[in-house]
Amino acid sequence: MPARAPAFALAPVLAPLLAIMAFTAGTASAQGSGSEGAIEEGEWNFTATLDGKPIGTHRFVVGGSPAARSVDSRADFVVRMLGVSLYRYRHHAEERWAGDCLRELRADTDDGTRQQVSRRYDDECLMSFAYWNPRLVKQQRLIDPQTGKSESVRFEPLPAANIEVRGQAVRARGWRLQAAQQRIRIWYAADSGRWIGLDAETKGDRQLSYRLTSPTGAP
């Protein structure tokens, strides 16, 4: 088992990241049917880099109807130095949604310590860190799929920017996500609203970035 690097914290980023993607703020905002501006089915494949160097991939697959959505998220990272593996991160999460409410979460994470989550959310209506859904930015609390627990978040708009996606500059709208001690910038294609990238400062002043690599889910 490679040595764990405690200065390299990924969890809030991957609460997909994962990863994970118009509401009104707060719990009530997530109680709609999901039909207005609904996210279509699709697959998002990202290359993850740490300080500009590739460390792995993260894939999100969104399926089903807006009223009964399923999300599968898989991440696999290896941080190496001089060819030696210093840190390994594996994460797999399966989510079931009813409209805009996360109803069930099953997750398995291994970053040197194994962590598993199996929870239902029948009595509350919250989103996970669903980055693939642009309506995420109206939320005030989100569920971390690595722990199954909810946490307070805040979103702030960023100036428009050009983000490189598959070797081409794409005009993007950005949001800064503040969660606990993490600061994450999320990027959506300005024309389509689709999620195309993410940048996060990890402990140790290192930068973790996601950039879309697959044609499916293209901006």
Side-chain angles (χ1 to χ4, degrees), residues 12 15 17 21 25 31 38 41 46 55 69 73 86 90 98 113 132 135 140 148 160-161 168 174 180 183 187 197 210:
L17 285 123
M21 281 231 58
Q31 293 177 344
E41 296 178 275
F46 290 91
I55 60 171
R69 188 73 73 197
S73 169
L86 300 179
R90 289 175 174 170
T113 300
W132 44 268
R135 292 174 292 184
Q140 293 181 332
Q168 297 184 346
R183 301 294 182 268
W187 301 104
Y210 277 22

Side-chain angles (χ1 to χ4, degrees), residues 61-65 68-72 95-97:
V61 179
V62 180
S65 68
R69 188 73 73 197
S70 66
V71 180
D72 186 277
E95 301 177 358
R96 297 291 181 269
W97 294 68

Side-chain angles (χ1 to χ4, degrees), residues 173-217:
R173 294 180 295 105
W175 293 84
R176 179 180 290 111
L177 164 59
Q178 300 187 43
Q181 298 180 351
Q182 291 288 331
R183 301 294 182 268
I184 304 169
R185 289 167 294 171
I186 313 165
W187 301 104
Y188 298 94
D191 57 354
S192 67
R194 296 184 69 81
W195 180 32
I196 58 174
L198 175 152
D199 298 304
E201 295 180 3
T202 71
K203 293 181 180 180
D205 295 325
R206 310 190 72 179
Q207 178 162 293
L208 174 71
S209 295
Y210 277 22
R211 289 298 182 266
L212 193 68
T213 56
S214 69
T216 305

Side-chain angles (χ1 to χ4, degrees), residues 65-191:
S65 68
R69 188 73 73 197
S70 66
V71 180
D72 186 277
S73 169
R74 297 174 185 264
D76 192 349
F77 298 165
V78 181
V79 179
R80 294 184 172 90
M81 180 177 292
L82 300 177
V84 178
S85 297
L86 300 179
Y87 179 88
R88 184 71 183 256
Y89 180 94
R90 289 175 174 170
H91 173 81
H92 178 211
E94 295 178 326
E95 301 177 358
R96 297 291 181 269
W97 294 68
D100 294 320
C101 307
L102 178 65
R103 287 305 182 211
E104 184 176 2
L105 167 65
R106 296 181 182 274
D108 189 343
T109 306
D110 189 349
D111 63 351
T113 300
R114 189 80 175 271
Q115 185 172 14
Q116 295 179 310
V117 176
S118 180
R119 288 192 59 178
R120 292 190 59 85
Y121 302 90
D122 295 324
D123 299 325
E124 56 185 336
C125 184
L126 294 174
M127 297 180 71
S128 64
F129 284 69
Y131 299 117
W132 44 268
N133 188 339
R135 292 174 292 184
L136 177 82
V137 302
K138 298 297 183 180
Q139 304 306 298
Q140 293 181 332
R141 296 192 67 82
L142 296 172
I143 295 171
D144 182 343
Q146 186 164 295
T147 66
K149 300 178 181 179
S150 67
E151 59 180 277
S152 298
V153 297
R154 185 174 66 180
F155 290 90
E156 298 175 355
L158 295 171
N162 289 326
I163 303 300
E164 184 173 328
V165 179
R166 297 191 296 275
Q168 297 184 346
V170 176
R171 196 63 174 169
R173 294 180 295 105
W175 293 84
R176 179 180 290 111
L177 164 59
Q178 300 187 43
Q181 298 180 351
Q182 291 288 331
R183 301 294 182 268
I184 304 169
R185 289 167 294 171
I186 313 165
W187 301 104
Y188 298 94
D191 57 354

